[in-house]
Amino acid sequence: MVRTIIISRTEIHMSPTIFILYALFFCLHFTFFFARDTLTLNESISGQHGETLISAGKRFELGFFRIMSTPRRYLGIWYYRSNPKITVWVANRDFPLTDDSGVFAISKDGNLEVLDGNKSSHWSTKPEKWVSSKGIVKLLDSGNLVLSEEDEHSGSLRVIWQSFDVPTDTFLPGMEMNVNLKLISWISPDNPGSGNFTFELDEDRENQYIIKKERSIAYWKSGVSGKFIESNDTSVLSPLLSNVTRSSLNITKLFPKLRNNNPNIIIPSILDKSNMRLVMNYDGQVQYLFRNSESAPWIMAWSEPEDNCSVFKACGNFASCNSKRGSLCTCLHGFEPVSPEEWNSEEFSQGCTREKPLCSKDGKIRDFQRLKVMKVGKPDEESEANATECKEDCLRGCNCQAFAYDEASQSKGRLGNSRCWIWSDSLNNIEDDAVGGHEIFLRVEPILKGQINSTMQDGGSRGRKPQWTLIVTATIASVSVLACTIAIIYILKEKVKRQEDRESTLALQYYDSQRHVKDLMDSVEFKEEDKKGIDLPFFDFESILAATDSFSEANKLGKGGFGPVYKGKFPGGQEVAVKRLSSVSVQGLEEFKNEVVLIARLQHRNLVRLLGYCIEGSEKILLYEYMPNKSLDFFIFDRTLRMLLDWEMRFNIILGVARGLLYLHQDSRLRIIHRDLKTSNILLDQEMNPKISDFGLARIFEGTQTEGTTNRVVGTYGYMSPEYALDGFFSVKSDVFSFGVVVLEIISGKKNTGFYNSEKALSLLGHAWNLWQEDKALDIMERQLYATAKTNEILKCINVGLLCVQEDPNDRPTMSNVVIMLGSETATLPTPKQPAFVLRRGLSSSASSSSKPETNAKLTVSLEAR
């Protein structure tokens, strides 16, 4: 008997508690139902509905994702509930979807496919052709996505395709490291596309690994970079990459230095191997990471290359690398750069070559220089020999460049076990002042005593001199050295005395010059005798006319408050920017005096250089170094040109401007406040290096003075600090405010004086502040930066920018602190307070000036209550 029970809707009466329990049960049941780990032929994963596959043990999850606020969407695998998401595999890494309409499914021909809303394929597998209604794809707890077919006769599964055979940038336990497997880095932290670096087996050496740059250039090699006696690179990687069957590993034996470098880290003696991974990072560093448990944070236990000197042949042949020096590479004694024009650049050098051959018609080079604490690439020969025998072996031919030996075993009485290493071809991967380094002996021409180990000098066929001859020679040498020492001490004392007298004279001249400067800046006119106090080349007016083709319109670069600017070219090809004082500009005379006085005394790579000036009748002209790339605003506010500035270039510009301001505020002979820092006053040279320009509104401070006031507020709205715009009060913190605005404009590509919310009339500062409070600070970044952005650096710059534009000057950092914050990788930055000028209406972005009462009337600014 079948009973049919009909319940009328009006007959159902449940208490709120029972209703909640039923709802909770339904939700749990719904979640359980959809927490699947498999797909069959007629099933799919929809990006629009946020569907995912979750492995049985809830270790990994597969689904569609996007990074930050970019529109690009990918199908990938990540650690289950990892926050932030740790992605280990990406299917359509080079062909992202543009919206959330993506679908992942098994196609009718047996392929796995990622399709967009128009059914266009963005990624697919290419297994053998098969048609089966029993095909199944499953996400395993190992992180492996496996496509299988069930055998109709035996019922067993046959693997058709698996993601472990085609990894992206991550190696997981269970993968097999073979010649076909490559880890390819992401383009950037926010772009999983195929990047520049590849980690793979080194086909030329057994059980060794290599990182290649741009798919072919050797960037790092295991067992080579700086270690020729012992190498533990392979032993560190092998337990993970060899696909061993053990489920757990002794982590302390794998990474013996980990606890020494990180004393606060708790390291278990035995670690589950599934909690390890190897990542080929976007910056070219391969990283070995582990965690104590599934809920613990990841710890980087090992990485290579550790620094610039660990890069394969970082400095080329016969050049020593030291990342602690200002210059990375230095030629060994007796060698010179192969390519001198590239030696001082930031790029890796082509190496060095000998100035003279080891053997010539005059004989062999028989001396050696002892180089201490060195790491160097593997030698060409290895044998058993003591120090004397090792040296003699090196001297027998004309191809031995250096040797090294190890007699540690002889101290234990086991003679004959000393090791000797000889380099016959070239020395590379050299690093000095290195931990774990070794002494090597470089074959060189005779050099100053004290640089050569006397025990390694070769007597050759010169024979032994009688003992009395040696005694007489030593005595004469000692007396000569003593006499020379006394003479040098006397000369140095006289030199110091003369220097003190000279410095006193220069100090008096400097203060006289400073008084002249003050008189010059306070004067209403510019007289002929004033030229005598200007430490700057004078150009005659006729030569400037010839250089600018009589100030032709074709040579005109632009026009400012001072007057027009022209491009000039002198005989010999030197190009200059010529700034001509407008005859109707009252402001121009003050600017002219300011720049002649101030810029002539400033020398810094991030300040524009003033080359000379001209005064003739009513003509007043300044000559600057020519900047072919114009100003910063010419790029960042142009929709086309802004695409030429990637994030690295923008960060270098930010750092360069910060260093230039630091020089003005602290390191120059005169303490200077610029008062008109803005994007149009930051010029860019041929290499896009920033140079601060336009010192017409700058003020010089004496001694310990750090602030001042004025009744005439001049500057550019949008960049002026509130205390200056409203009260005429200016200090070094006024420039800091302007710098903060410039930083936010560089990141966003938008002007501060634009409107970013029609209802609230937000300025860029207000817009950035709102996004910061909502934890969406990265949304201010313009879209062109997504491909090259470094998330941590951008967040750091946004933080610094907001710190600089805080309303209270006392809350803003100094430029010295700004430079430290920008350059540090580990510094913890303060949390910014609300900036000034959050709300705005009707402000002009052009340069303006007014008296204090007029300024207060013109600036209709609303500062939100604290």
Side-chain angles (χ1 to χ4, degrees):
M1 177 183 290
V2 178
R3 293 184 178 179
T4 304
I5 301 176
I6 302 176
I7 303 177
S8 172
R9 182 177 300 177
T10 57
E11 294 177 342
I12 298 176
H13 301 283
M14 287 187 291
S15 68
T17 304
I18 296 176
F19 180 79
I20 292 173
L21 290 175
Y22 269 103
L24 181 60
F25 173 78
F26 177 79
C27 291
L28 291 174
H29 183 269
F30 185 87
T31 304
F32 175 78
F33 180 76
F34 280 93
R36 52 182 174 169
D37 62 352
T38 58
L39 281 180
T40 58
L41 188 63
N42 297 320
E43 297 177 326
S44 64
I45 292 291
S46 169
Q48 191 170 10
H49 299 136
E51 298 170 342
T52 63
L53 293 182
I54 301 174
S55 65
K58 294 187 176 181
R59 295 183 64 88
F60 290 94
E61 187 171 5
L62 175 143
F64 288 93
F65 71 98
R66 68 174 182 172
I67 304 172
M68 292 171 36
S69 57
T70 63
R72 303 186 301 267
R73 294 185 71 85
Y74 304 88
L75 178 78
I77 300 173
W78 56 87
Y79 284 96
Y80 180 64
R81 289 187 175 178
S82 56
N83 188 19
K85 192 179 271 87
I86 299 175
T87 307
V88 298
W89 182 77
V90 183
N92 57 321
R93 64 184 306 185
D94 294 315
F95 301 97
L97 299 159
T98 57
D99 53 37
D100 59 358
S101 64
V103 174
F104 171 61
I106 305 175
S107 64
K108 292 182 179 180
D109 65 355
N111 285 326
L112 297 179
E113 282 191 318
V114 174
L115 305 174
D116 60 19
N118 298 322
K119 304 301 180 183
S120 298
S121 177
H122 285 247
W123 173 85
S124 67
T125 59
K126 298 296 181 183
E128 301 172 4
K129 292 296 181 181
W130 58 281
V131 178
S132 173
S133 60
K134 297 183 180 180
I136 187 171
V137 61
K138 185 172 185 177
L139 179 62
L140 306 181
D141 274 336
S142 61
N144 193 11
L145 184 68
V146 180
L147 176 63
S148 307
E149 178 187 20
E150 185 177 347
D151 188 277
E152 294 181 357
H153 302 289
S154 64
S156 61
L157 292 176
R158 179 172 67 96
V159 175
I160 302 298
W161 175 93
Q162 58 180 347
S163 62
F164 270 18
D165 291 337
V166 284
T168 50
D169 68 328
T170 303
F171 188 98
L172 295 173
M175 290 182 178
E176 182 180 354
M177 193 71 195
N178 53 43
V179 294
N180 297 319
L181 190 141
K182 293 178 174 62
L183 303 182
I184 302 175
S185 69
W186 288 22
I187 292 176
S188 70
D190 310 316
N191 189 339
S194 300
N196 283 332
F197 297 95
T198 306
F199 178 82
E200 56 191 274
L201 276 173
D202 191 344
E203 296 180 3
D204 299 329
R205 301 176 303 135
E206 187 177 358
N207 296 325
Q208 296 293 342
Y209 310 98
I210 185 173
I211 297 175
K212 291 182 180 179
K213 188 176 182 180
E214 298 173 355
R215 305 293 188 272
S216 59
I217 303 170
Y219 183 72
W220 172 84
K221 289 187 176 184
S222 65
V224 168
S225 189
K227 304 176 179 71
F228 70 90
I229 294 180
E230 292 181 357
S231 174
N232 63 355
D233 295 339
T234 302
S235 63
V236 169
L237 296 177
S238 292
L240 177 63
L241 301 185
S242 61
N243 193 19
V244 294
T245 57
R246 298 192 305 274
S247 62
S248 60
L249 297 169
N250 191 322
I251 189 73
T252 54
K253 290 184 178 179
L254 277 181
F255 310 112
K257 295 182 181 179
L258 181 60
R259 189 182 294 277
N260 294 334
N261 297 333
N262 304 274
N264 296 324
I265 289 180
I266 300 174
I267 306 175
S269 58
I270 299 295
L271 182 69
D272 185 355
K273 188 180 173 183
S274 63
N275 285 320
M276 291 183 174
R277 60 189 170 103
L278 188 77
V279 179
M280 181 66 257
N281 206 24
Y282 70 94
D283 61 2
Q285 189 179 68
V286 62
Q287 299 175 343
Y288 200 159
L289 301 105
F290 78 95
R291 59 182 177 179
N292 295 334
S293 64
E294 291 183 26
S295 60
W298 287 92
I299 299 168
M300 187 169 68
W302 175 92
S303 63
E304 284 288 351
E306 292 181 316
D307 52 32
N308 289 337
C309 290
S310 299
V311 172
F312 183 66
K313 293 188 177 179
C315 294
N317 295 331
F318 300 111
S320 174
C321 184
N322 191 328
S323 56
K324 301 172 186 175
R325 282 195 303 256
S327 57
L328 187 71
C329 304
T330 304
C331 284
L332 299 179
H333 175 80
F335 294 81
E336 59 184 8
V338 172
S339 178
E341 65 275 8
E342 296 182 4
W343 192 247
N344 293 323
S345 70
E346 295 297 327
E347 299 296 327
F348 296 137
S349 167
Q350 296 181 12
C352 305
T353 184
R354 279 193 183 275
E355 298 173 359
K356 294 183 179 180
L358 290 170
C359 297
S360 64
K361 62 181 180 179
D362 299 326
K364 294 182 180 180
I365 291 178
R366 308 184 65 83
D367 289 327
F368 291 88
Q369 180 184 8
R370 180 170 63 181
L371 304 176
K372 297 182 178 181
V373 197
M374 302 294 291
K375 287 184 179 179
V376 62
K378 285 192 173 181
D380 301 297
E381 301 176 35
E382 182 177 349
S383 62
E384 290 188 5
N386 59 30
T388 303
E389 293 169 341
C390 192
K391 177 192 170 188
E392 292 298 329
D393 287 345
C394 182
L395 286 173
R396 284 194 182 96
C398 292
N399 60 346
C400 176
Q401 305 284 349
F403 74 91
Y405 65 93
D406 182 13
E407 291 185 319
S409 60
Q410 290 195 16
S411 63
K412 300 178 182 180
R414 295 192 297 272
L415 299 176
N417 291 331
S418 296
R419 309 302 299 170
C420 172
W421 297 275
I422 289 179
W423 287 264
S424 299
D425 182 16
S426 60
L427 274 73
N428 51 52
N429 294 296
I430 307 171
E431 183 179 356
D432 62 75
D433 193 23
V435 178
H438 196 76
E439 285 187 346
I440 63 172
F441 294 87
L442 177 69
R443 199 169 174 184
V444 296
E445 283 197 284
I447 51 179
L448 294 176
K449 290 183 179 180
Q451 291 180 301
I452 301 178
N453 181 10
S454 60
T455 62
M456 299 309 299
Q457 293 286 352
D458 179 49
S461 59
R462 293 190 292 268
R464 290 184 173 274
K465 295 183 179 181
Q467 188 173 2
W468 64 270
T469 306
L470 294 175
I471 295 173
V472 171
T473 304
T475 303
I476 293 174
S478 300
V479 173
S480 300
V481 170
L482 180 61
C484 290
T485 302
I486 295 173
I488 290 172
I489 292 173
Y490 177 78
I491 293 171
L492 289 176
K493 284 185 176 180
E494 289 296 317
K495 185 177 180 180
V496 169
K497 184 178 180 181
R498 287 195 299 271
Q499 180 67 19
E500 290 175 350
D501 294 340
R502 182 173 176 270
E503 288 179 354
S504 299
T505 304
L506 288 176
L508 290 174
Q509 292 175 352
Y510 174 75
Y511 288 119
D512 287 342
S513 175
Q514 200 172 44
R515 284 195 297 271
H516 180 82
V517 166
K518 288 295 181 184
D519 294 339
L520 173 61
M521 294 178 69
D522 294 336
S523 64
V524 178
E525 298 181 358
F526 202 95
K527 301 176 182 179
E528 186 69 23
E529 57 266 23
D530 290 331
K531 298 180 184 179
K532 300 176 182 178
I534 300 175
D535 185 18
L536 198 65
F538 178 84
F539 288 77
D540 62 84
F541 187 63
E542 286 73 20
S543 65
I544 295 175
L545 282 175
T548 59
D549 193 17
S550 298
F551 299 109
S552 67
E553 284 296 315
N555 286 325
K556 192 171 182 179
L557 298 174
K559 187 175 182 180
F562 177 89
V565 182
Y566 300 87
K567 179 181 178 181
K569 191 171 184 178
F570 287 106
Q574 184 184 12
E575 294 179 326
V576 296
V578 180
K579 211 174 182 184
R580 187 183 188 190
L581 173 63
S582 173
S583 58
V584 297
S585 173
V586 178
Q587 184 182 349
L589 177 61
E590 294 185 7
E591 289 186 358
F592 179 83
K593 292 188 295 183
N594 242 14
E595 300 217 27
V596 167
V597 171
L598 296 182
I599 298 188
R601 289 165 169 77
L602 302 178
Q603 296 292 331
H604 192 272
R605 63 179 299 179
N606 295 119
L607 303 182
V608 71
R609 192 156 58 97
L610 183 62
L611 302 177
Y613 75 106
C614 173
I615 305 172
E616 186 164 321
S618 61
E619 293 287 350
K620 295 176 180 61
I621 296 171
L622 296 170
L623 286 78
Y624 299 89
E625 57 178 327
Y626 176 65
M627 296 287 110
N629 285 318
K630 300 184 180 180
S631 58
L632 179 58
D633 66 326
F634 183 72
F635 282 87
I636 63 172
F637 299 139
D638 185 279
R639 291 189 176 183
T640 302
L641 294 178
R642 69 175 57 172
M643 299 177 67
L644 301 176
L645 293 181
D646 59 18
W647 170 244
E648 184 177 0
M649 295 173 70
R650 298 191 192 210
F651 182 71
N652 289 336
I653 290 171
I654 291 172
L655 197 56
V657 174
R659 288 169 176 162
L661 278 181
L662 174 60
Y663 173 80
L664 293 176
H665 291 178
Q666 180 175 307
D667 298 334
S668 64
R669 289 182 294 173
L670 307 171
R671 186 187 298 272
I672 295 170
I673 297 176
H674 190 280
R675 293 206 304 170
D676 196 23
L677 183 71
K678 54 186 176 182
T679 51
S680 60
N681 283 342
I682 298 170
L683 306 183
L684 301 172
D685 67 10
Q686 192 168 2
E687 286 77 33
M688 302 300 285
N689 295 312
K691 293 180 182 287
I692 301 173
S693 69
D694 204 339
F695 287 76
L697 305 182
R699 283 295 183 93
I700 178 175
F701 280 167
E702 300 177 4
T704 59
Q705 185 184 0
T706 59
E707 57 191 37
T709 56
T710 179
N711 289 324
R712 186 168 176 268
V713 176
V714 288
T716 305
Y717 295 140
Y719 299 92
M720 298 166 64
S721 63
E723 68 275 8
Y724 180 51
L726 299 175
D727 301 314
F729 179 86
F730 62 91
S731 67
V732 291
K733 297 298 184 71
S734 306
D735 282 351
V736 173
F737 182 92
S738 303
F739 173 78
V741 176
V742 169
V743 169
L744 295 175
E745 289 186 339
I746 291 174
I747 295 172
S748 66
K750 299 174 182 176
K751 293 184 178 181
N752 182 35
T753 50
F755 290 90
Y756 301 99
N757 186 307
S758 58
E759 296 179 359
K760 296 185 179 180
L762 290 176
S763 66
L764 176 61
L765 303 189
H767 183 54
W769 174 246
N770 281 2
L771 291 176
W772 177 269
Q773 288 185 306
E774 295 169 5
D775 248 355
K776 298 178 181 178
L778 288 172
D779 287 354
I780 198 176
M781 176 178 61
E782 66 169 302
R783 291 185 178 275
Q784 284 79 3
L785 294 180
Y786 287 155
T788 61
K790 296 182 179 179
T791 306
N792 292 338
E793 275 188 355
I794 291 181
L795 282 173
K796 176 171 63 177
C797 288
I798 294 172
N799 194 346
V800 170
L802 289 173
L803 287 172
C804 291
V805 297
Q806 293 177 108
E807 184 175 352
D808 190 342
N810 296 321
D811 292 333
R812 300 173 207 155
T814 61
M815 288 311 302
S816 59
N817 289 333
V818 167
V819 171
I820 292 172
M821 287 189 287
L822 290 174
S824 174
E825 297 290 338
T826 58
T828 301
L829 274 60
T831 302
K833 300 177 183 178
Q834 177 178 304
F837 302 137
V838 171
L839 299 181
R840 57 161 315 276
R841 49 182 180 271
L843 294 182
S844 169
S845 62
S846 60
S848 306
S849 66
S850 66
S851 65
K852 256 196 292 190
E854 290 173 344
T855 303
N856 288 331
K858 286 185 177 181
L859 280 172
T860 53
V861 181
S862 295
L863 300 177
E864 292 184 353
R866 298 184 185 180

